Amino acid sequence: MESIFHEKQEGSLCAQHCLNNLLQGEYFSPVELSSIAHQLDEEERMRMAEGGVQTEEYRTFLQQPSGNMDDSGFFSIQVISNALGVWGLEIILFNSREYQQLRIDPIHEKAFICNYKEHWFTVRKLGQQWFNLNSLLTGPELISDTYLALFLAQLQQEGYSIFVIRGNLPDCEADQILRIMRVEQQQRPKLIGEDEAQRMSVQPVSDTPVPGDEAPLDEDEEELRKALALSRQHMEVEDEEADLRRAIQLSMQGGSDPTSPNAVVTAGSSHESGSSEETLTAEELRRRRQAYFDRQQQAHDSSTASRRSEGQRDQTQPVTIQRRR
């Protein structure tokens, strides 16, 4: 594949790339193609002048821009046809009645040039294999013989004009090498800039944003961020309520003193007779949560007062410990 000449896209010079990829070398430059275009413009002017240089049609023609080239680098089919004529080559419209009556299988041709919306590219046989030499690709694309006809039909459906190249193409190194060997392509070439676009579209994911690196969010991204934040808050509330429910159940089972007159046993505790677990409503959960916190606070205050009282007795009298029998 390295021996195949493949000129990649530069500006709007696809006509130049199409010709050079077809001929397999740097045969034409923008200056040479512009010279052909100017020659065609002059020939058209001379034909229009034959009807009279004072006519309205002639003055209108002079005011119109060239139909054979423009400042972007586009060249017309007439320019391409004249450039190929220098090498004794001619073009035939693939879909014309003249060519279709010949009923020639496309694989028996030598090359095609394709045009759509001012873009030109070449499909050529090198050795015994076909290649798509589109200048918008990162490299030559191998086309199998069975796929060639389908490929051309697909281009026609997309609006492409296809021209058959007739005549003897110049000898080239790639054609000589591929006559004695065949190549295989493991991965098809991509469009120029496609890899860079994919890299730009994939951003590293990080839970911790770096200050100063955050790009301004559009409306959709802002709404998504708010939705995620609300979702996290809802999950946290659910986790908190679940923890609280377990805490209340533990408190009713063993968190309070069973001998205390304030101890309460409900249907969430385990009994020897067994009972089903009661389902708590949100209101009952809040009341029991408050009751649980109140009991915890009372127990804490009671414990603090008891420690202070014992400390005072230690300062006034010795402590006598009696053992119960």
Side-chain angles (χ1 to χ4, degrees):
M1 297 283 284
E2 290 80 6
S3 62
I4 299 177
F5 180 87
H6 180 249
E7 204 169 74
K8 296 182 179 62
Q9 188 74 21
E10 292 183 5
S12 299
L13 298 175
C14 53
Q16 171 196 318
H17 305 320
C18 175
L19 288 169
N20 289 340
N21 289 339
L22 171 67
L23 301 174
Q24 286 293 286
E26 297 180 357
Y27 286 85
F28 291 99
S29 67
V31 174
E32 292 169 333
L33 294 178
S34 297
S35 176
I36 296 175
H38 286 306
Q39 182 181 352
L40 290 172
D41 289 342
E42 181 62 19
E43 292 175 358
E44 292 176 4
R45 188 195 66 79
M46 292 178 63
R47 286 195 297 270
M48 292 296 298
E50 292 176 356
V53 296
Q54 301 298 327
T55 62
E56 184 68 23
E57 293 180 355
Y58 182 76
R59 289 197 295 268
T60 302
F61 172 80
L62 293 180
Q63 294 175 357
Q64 293 177 348
S66 171
N68 295 299
M69 63 173 293
D70 59 25
D71 295 337
S72 68
F74 167 76
F75 295 99
S76 68
I77 181 62
Q78 288 79 13
V79 174
I80 293 177
S81 179
N82 281 26
L84 292 176
V86 175
W87 293 92
L89 301 171
E90 62 175 349
I91 60 176
I92 302 176
L93 185 61
F94 178 73
N95 201 34
S96 66
R97 179 179 300 179
E98 174 189 359
Y99 181 78
Q100 292 298 320
Q101 288 178 347
L102 299 177
R103 298 182 179 277
I104 300 176
D105 191 325
I107 64 173
H108 296 142
E109 297 292 355
K110 298 178 181 178
F112 302 91
I113 58 174
C114 311
N115 169 253
Y116 179 67
K117 291 186 177 181
E118 301 185 355
H119 178 64
W120 295 92
F121 72 92
T122 292
V123 178
R124 175 177 170 168
K125 178 187 283 187
L126 293 168
Q128 300 300 320
Q129 294 176 285
W130 283 91
F131 295 88
N132 176 9
L133 303 178
N134 195 333
S135 58
L136 294 177
L137 296 175
T138 56
E141 179 184 21
L142 179 63
I143 302 176
S144 65
D145 290 350
T146 56
Y147 182 64
L148 177 63
L150 181 61
F151 178 73
L152 296 176
Q154 181 180 354
L155 290 178
Q156 285 183 305
Q157 289 181 354
E158 294 175 357
Y160 275 84
S161 298
I162 303 175
F163 301 89
V164 185
I165 304 299
R166 288 295 179 86
N168 295 322
L169 292 166
D171 291 334
C172 63
E173 180 185 4
D175 188 52
Q176 296 174 357
I177 293 176
L178 293 175
R179 285 178 183 175
I180 59 177
M181 62 177 296
R182 298 178 65 89
V183 297
E184 294 182 359
Q185 192 169 44
Q186 302 297 332
Q187 186 175 3
R188 294 185 178 277
K190 298 181 179 180
L191 291 172
I192 294 176
E194 185 176 355
D195 289 337
E196 182 179 356
Q198 290 179 351
R199 287 193 298 268
M200 293 293 292
S201 63
V202 177
Q203 299 294 336
V205 180
S206 175
D207 292 337
T208 304
V210 179
D213 288 349
E214 295 183 356
L217 301 176
D218 58 24
E219 184 176 352
D220 292 339
E221 291 176 340
E222 183 65 25
E223 292 296 329
L224 178 59
R225 173 166 293 188
K226 291 180 180 179
L228 291 174
L230 290 175
S231 176
R232 293 192 187 98
Q233 292 176 3
H234 180 67
M235 292 173 63
E236 291 173 358
V237 169
E238 289 183 347
D239 292 342
E240 180 182 356
E241 295 292 344
D243 293 339
L244 181 59
R245 186 187 297 274
R246 288 192 294 269
I248 292 176
Q249 291 176 352
L250 289 175
S251 69
M252 291 188 295
Q253 292 175 4
S256 60
D257 186 0
T259 61
S260 171
N262 295 327
V264 179
V265 178
T266 65
S269 304
S270 299
H271 299 279
E272 293 180 0
S273 59
S275 62
S276 60
E277 183 179 1
E278 180 184 2
T279 302
L280 300 177
T281 65
E283 184 63 27
E284 292 173 342
L285 187 61
R286 284 192 289 270
R287 289 201 302 269
R288 296 187 183 185
R289 175 174 58 182
Q290 187 62 43
Y292 170 69
F293 290 150
D294 291 343
R295 290 198 301 272
Q296 293 291 330
Q297 185 63 38
Q298 291 175 3
H300 179 268
D301 295 342
S302 178
S303 176
T304 302
S306 177
R307 286 197 299 270
R308 290 177 179 174
S309 177
E310 291 178 357
Q312 292 176 356
R313 288 197 299 270
D314 290 342
Q315 295 177 0
T316 57
Q317 60 182 5
V319 177
T320 303
I321 300 176
Q322 297 180 353
R323 183 186 303 274
R324 292 185 179 180
R325 296 182 180 178

